[in-house]
Amino acid sequence: MNSNSVLSYIRKYNMLERGDRVVCGLSGGADSVCLLSVLDELKDELGITLCAAHINHGIRGDEADRDENFCRELCSRLGIELFVKRVCIPELSRELRIGEEECGRRVRYGFFNEIAGEGGKIATAHNMNDCAETLIFNLARGASLKGAGSIPPVRDNIVRPLLETDRREIEEYLKDKGLDFVTDSSNLQNEYTRNKIRNEILPALGKINESAVRNLAYFSSLAREDEEYISGGLTAQKKETLDGDKVKTAEFLKLPVSLQRRMARDFLSELTDNEIHSKHIEAFLQFAVSNDRQSVNIADIRLKKSDGLIEYYPLNSEGFEIPVNAENCEIQYPYGRLDMRVYETKDLQNIHIKQLDNLIDYDKINSNLTLRSRRAGDSFTFAGRGVTKSLKKLFIEEKIPLYLRDRIAVLDCGGETVFTEGFGVSKKYKADENSKRILEIKIVKQDN
């Protein structure tokens, strides 16, 4: 491996363009140190601005502090700007009621996007071995062709320049460059499924065929290409087969089985935050063709047949719409409570750091405020990167179950989305260094 081979891979997938600001995720491990060094070598030729970002997750104590110090020293030596965020993931995950792994992912990419800014790119150090590990992991759980595609080279603003480089090549590169790295001790323990694949299964496959990792990664690249081609044919078929959020049974059964499976996967994925596996897809296909079953539970989704349609049983999630007065108030709504308080800028030190994403420039709103559930056409613009997406797309991407989407609170100002629960304040209304008065907003969910 050398910088030229990585450059060719970057250009193959048009990962980076001249003028891009690129944030390199830096853990201090071999992969991320290699990526940072290679991008540093290529930054002038690529015409990019390079910086690094490190998260201290507050999980591994002294070892985590060691990793942070290593990253600081490395970036200082290379002359690369480093951004560091310290957060206690175990504590935050309990507050948010999500798993530590998912919490860590949200914190990482939220931080990276904040640094990258609008139009910026995030470079992660996933490599060929990671791709092979993910493929085996997905297949063992019953993956479709999409799951066989493993890790994509590009997803939104995230790029993975080392995905065609194996771990052995990375270690050789670091040795040739005289670059040190740190090792996360938890990666050596086989308590986690991925570690077992990394430490036991891949080495065993390597004894059968020394090119096993490369061949697995190559298979994933073929699977991604085939999935992209086949799924492309699904767009037109959906118009004929779907009636809003219902499936036309007769039209569905006319499709080739390959497209039926993809449509079933997409349909079920929009209804739940549970992962959809092959057994769920096959259950949907059996239900669609059955003449004697009128209802079924699949992946905790309740489906029924009615008038030639397959549809879900919605749970009791009522929409709501409540006028709001922003002057230091407390608003009860069906699924929780909205707390608001107005600050002068000089009082910002009193606001907890966890609320920084929930600060509104008070002078940008007016008296026409409403706390409500979602509406068709709602959109949200991320403050850190300026990307605008529909709430429907955001909820789908975050795998928020359909029956929960009407429970999510939206603060509306004259028809525009000011704040969306779980996503923060929209760019237009977010407080900044020029704000004179700040509206702090907090959602307190009630237990259901």
Side-chain angles (χ1 to χ4, degrees):
M1 173 212 149
N2 54 49
S3 58
N4 287 330
S5 64
V6 177
L7 177 63
S8 296
Y9 191 67
I10 289 172
R11 287 177 170 166
K12 177 181 179 181
Y13 289 98
N14 299 313
M15 293 183 180
L16 303 174
E17 299 177 356
R18 287 198 163 274
D20 276 346
R21 175 176 171 82
V22 180
V23 179
C24 177
L26 181 65
S27 67
D31 303 340
S32 65
V33 172
C34 175
L35 177 61
L36 183 67
S37 175
V38 170
L39 290 177
D40 189 39
E41 287 185 51
L42 296 174
K43 64 183 179 184
D44 291 336
E45 186 165 358
L46 289 169
I48 62 174
T49 301
L50 178 65
C51 64
H54 176 79
I55 297 279
N56 186 328
H57 293 88
I59 296 177
R60 292 179 292 116
D62 291 342
E63 188 176 286
D65 293 337
R66 175 208 66 182
D67 295 353
E68 179 184 327
N69 291 331
F70 172 84
C71 292
R72 290 186 185 277
E73 292 171 5
L74 174 65
C75 289
S76 176
R77 189 165 67 251
L78 294 176
I80 296 173
E81 186 176 14
L82 174 68
F83 297 86
V84 175
K85 184 181 184 74
R86 297 174 68 94
V87 58
C88 182
I89 293 297
E91 178 185 337
L92 186 58
S93 68
R94 286 192 296 271
E95 289 185 13
L96 298 178
R97 299 182 182 180
I98 58 177
E100 288 187 10
E101 185 176 354
E102 172 62 16
C103 183
R105 185 190 69 83
R106 291 188 186 183
V107 169
R108 277 196 304 278
Y109 284 104
F111 182 49
F112 295 165
N113 275 311
E114 181 182 336
I115 297 167
E118 186 172 354
K121 302 286 178 64
I122 297 168
T124 66
H126 294 93
N127 58 53
M128 187 179 289
N129 292 62
D130 295 316
C131 183
E133 291 165 13
T134 302
L135 170 62
I136 294 172
F137 182 76
N138 289 348
L139 291 177
R141 296 191 303 165
S144 63
L145 190 61
K146 183 177 182 179
S150 189
I151 305 172
V154 178
R155 180 174 61 83
D156 296 330
N157 66 331
I158 301 169
V159 299
R160 301 178 173 106
L162 297 183
L163 209 55
E164 211 170 56
T165 306
D166 68 32
R167 194 157 283 133
R168 176 185 52 80
E169 293 175 303
I170 288 172
E171 291 172 356
E172 289 177 354
Y173 171 90
L174 295 175
K175 183 178 179 181
D176 290 342
K177 296 292 182 180
L179 290 169
D180 294 327
F181 58 91
V182 293
T183 301
D184 182 342
S185 61
S186 64
N187 289 337
L188 304 177
Q189 302 167 5
N190 288 338
E191 298 176 6
Y192 303 102
T193 302
R194 286 186 179 274
N195 287 3
K196 290 180 180 178
I197 296 172
R198 177 183 303 124
N199 300 328
E200 297 179 1
I201 296 177
L202 286 183
L205 289 174
K207 293 178 181 178
I208 298 172
N209 186 325
E210 62 180 13
S211 299
V213 168
R214 187 167 296 276
N215 291 338
L216 288 169
Y218 178 63
F219 170 77
S220 284
S221 69
L222 296 179
R224 283 194 300 273
E225 292 170 359
D226 288 350
E227 172 66 17
E228 183 178 350
Y229 176 78
I230 296 171
S231 294
L234 194 60
T235 303
Q237 300 292 345
K238 282 184 175 180
K239 295 180 180 178
E240 301 296 326
T241 309
L242 297 181
D243 180 7
D245 54 6
K246 304 177 181 66
V247 176
K248 300 177 185 177
T249 309
E251 296 299 325
F252 176 81
L253 294 175
K254 292 178 184 178
L255 297 174
V257 175
S258 176
L259 293 185
Q260 285 183 13
R261 288 195 174 97
R262 282 162 176 77
M263 189 168 293
R265 179 195 66 205
D266 291 351
F267 178 74
L268 293 172
S269 294
E270 290 194 19
L271 299 176
T272 180
D273 57 354
N274 293 325
E275 291 197 47
I276 300 301
H277 300 298
S278 56
K279 64 181 180 181
H280 302 132
I281 295 171
E282 296 305 319
F284 185 92
L285 267 59
Q286 291 175 17
F287 177 60
V289 76
S290 172
N291 291 321
D292 56 354
R293 300 181 67 189
Q294 297 304 308
S295 63
V296 70
N297 287 344
I298 301 175
D300 294 329
I301 304 166
R302 297 182 294 174
L303 300 174
K304 68 175 181 178
K305 287 180 180 173
S306 177
D307 299 325
L309 299 171
I310 296 175
E311 57 184 321
Y312 74 99
Y313 284 105
L315 298 182
N316 295 325
S317 292
E318 298 179 1
F320 57 95
E321 185 168 326
I322 303 170
V324 171
N325 181 343
E327 292 291 341
N328 302 341
C329 69
E330 198 177 272
I331 299 289
Q332 294 287 342
Y333 66 102
Y335 310 107
R337 186 182 79 241
L338 170 70
D339 291 344
M340 295 193 294
R341 182 177 175 184
V342 179
Y343 291 86
E344 299 292 329
T345 304
K346 61 182 176 61
D347 296 323
L348 281 179
Q349 65 268 22
N350 296 324
I351 297 178
H352 196 288
I353 190 171
K354 291 175 184 173
Q355 287 296 107
L356 291 179
D357 288 337
N358 296 339
L359 301 183
I360 298 168
D361 187 323
Y362 184 77
D363 294 311
K364 291 181 179 178
I365 59 175
N366 55 46
S367 58
N368 190 17
L369 287 177
T370 304
L371 184 70
R372 59 172 175 80
S373 51
R374 61 176 179 150
R375 292 176 184 161
D378 279 345
S379 63
F380 180 83
T381 303
F382 288 91
R385 45 193 167 124
V387 176
T388 299
K389 293 185 178 182
S390 68
L391 290 192
K392 179 179 179 180
K393 184 173 183 180
L394 280 179
F395 293 167
I396 291 172
E397 289 178 347
E398 292 298 319
K399 297 183 178 180
I400 298 172
L402 192 59
Y403 70 86
L404 290 179
R405 295 176 192 176
D406 286 332
R407 301 184 181 189
I408 292 175
V410 175
L411 185 63
D412 175 294
C413 181
E416 291 187 334
T417 301
V418 176
F419 166 88
T420 303
E421 178 188 346
F423 300 95
V425 178
S426 191
K427 182 179 181 179
K428 176 179 176 180
Y429 295 94
K430 187 173 176 64
D432 57 29
E433 64 276 8
N434 298 316
S435 301
K436 296 179 179 178
R437 291 186 295 174
I438 307 296
L439 175 63
E440 176 194 21
I441 182 170
K442 181 167 64 173
I443 296 290
V444 180
K445 301 297 285 188
Q446 69 181 27
D447 294 327
N448 292 306

